[in-house]
Amino acid sequence: MKTLDRTDIATAAAVIGTVALLQSVLAFHLYSLHVFDQFNVLFDSDPNTWLRYWSSTAPDAGTSKHPLVAYFVGIPVLILSKLLSALPVDATPEDIRTTLALCAVPLATGLKTGVVYLALKRFGLD
C-alpha cells in the first residue's frame, strides 16, 4: 500500500469541495423548480418526504427508512439552525432548517467521493 502525501490530501480536499459545491448548486436549483414537491411512487424515495424528515421538528414529520439518518442529519440540522437563528439573518428557523437539510446530501456526496479518491490512491492507483 502506498502512503498518502500532501498532494493527495490537497487533491481530495479539492474534490470534496468541488463535488459538494456542484451538488449543492444542483440541489438548490431543483428546489427552486419545486422538484422536491413531487412524489416518487415507483421507488418510494420521495424527495419532499426526505426533506421534511431532515428539516422538521414536528412529531408528525415521520421517520426515515434508515434508522440513523435522523441522528446523522436531523440533530446537526437542528443544532446549526439554532445557532444560525441567533445571528441577524432575515430568514425563519424553518427556512434555515430547509437550507441546511438541502446541504446534507451534497456534503455527504463530496465526502464519499473524497474518501473513494483517497482509498484508490492508497492502493496505488492513479
Side-chain angles (χ1 to χ4, degrees):
M1 281 204 197
K2 178 186 167 203
T3 59
L4 299 173
D5 57 4
R6 289 185 181 177
T7 307
D8 295 331
I9 302 297
T11 304
V15 166
I16 290 169
T18 303
V19 169
L21 178 69
L22 292 174
Q23 289 287 325
S24 294
V25 168
L26 179 63
F28 283 101
H29 179 67
L30 292 175
Y31 183 75
S32 71
L33 295 174
H34 301 284
V35 172
F36 293 155
D37 296 340
Q38 305 297 317
F39 286 95
N40 184 353
V41 178
L42 291 177
F43 298 105
D44 198 25
S45 60
D46 306 327
N48 55 353
T49 305
W50 287 96
L51 190 59
R52 187 178 77 243
Y53 293 161
W54 293 347
S55 64
S56 179
T57 58
D60 63 342
T63 57
S64 59
K65 292 185 172 105
H66 192 285
L68 295 177
V69 170
Y71 298 110
F72 290 143
V73 179
I75 292 174
V77 163
L78 291 175
I79 292 170
L80 286 173
S81 69
K82 292 287 186 189
L83 293 173
L84 291 174
S85 63
L87 297 174
V89 293
D90 189 26
T92 64
E94 293 82 18
D95 292 339
I96 294 172
R97 286 195 305 267
T98 300
T99 301
L100 291 172
L102 282 171
C103 293
V105 172
L107 181 60
T109 303
L111 289 172
K112 177 184 71 171
T113 307
V115 167
V116 168
Y117 172 79
L118 289 175
L120 292 175
K121 290 301 281 186
R122 176 91 182 179
F123 287 128
L125 301 172
D126 290 333

